[in-house]
Amino acid sequence: ARGNEPKAKVAAAPVAVAAPPARVRPADPAAGRKLKQVETRLAELQAALDRLEAQLADPAVYGNDGGIEIGQLAQRQGELAAEKEKLEADWLALYELAGA
C-alpha cells in the first residue's frame, strides 16, 4: 500500500559560511577628534533647523510684511539643511577613518 512507502529524504539546507573579516585599519585619533567636532556641529545645526521650523509654523510670521520674513527663514533653512547634508557625508567618511 502506498501509505507504507518510505518518504523521500529532504536535502539539508545549505549552511551559510561567514565571509572573512574585513581588514581592519588602525584607528586614526585625529579623525576621532574631528568626528566629535562634526557631531557637535550636526547637533547645533539640527537645533537651529528645529527652531526655524517652529518659527515657520507660527501663524504670526505670516503677517503683513509681504512674506519677506518667511522668505528669509526659508532661505536660512535651506542653507542650514545644505550644510547639514555636507557634514553628514563628512561624518560618514570620518567614522570610517576613525575605526569607530
Side-chain angles (χ1 to χ4, degrees), residues 23-97:
R23 290 198 306 189
V24 177
R25 288 184 275 173
D28 181 352
R33 285 189 297 277
K34 181 69 176 167
L35 186 64
K36 296 260 187 234
Q37 293 171 347
V38 169
E39 288 172 345
T40 299
R41 181 62 184 146
L42 281 169
E44 293 168 354
L45 285 170
Q46 187 58 56
L49 283 165
D50 291 344
R51 285 190 302 274
L52 277 172
E53 287 177 21
Q55 286 179 291
L56 287 167
D58 183 1
V61 172
Y62 300 87
N64 294 330
D65 68 354
I68 294 172
E69 184 176 6
I70 296 166
Q72 291 170 342
L73 291 173
Q75 180 178 355
R76 183 66 181 143
Q77 184 181 35
E79 292 166 354
L80 292 175
E83 182 181 352
K84 182 182 173 199
E85 187 175 325
K86 182 194 175 309
L87 278 176
E88 287 172 340
D90 292 348
W91 178 89
L92 185 57
L94 286 167
Y95 184 82
E96 291 173 0
L97 281 176

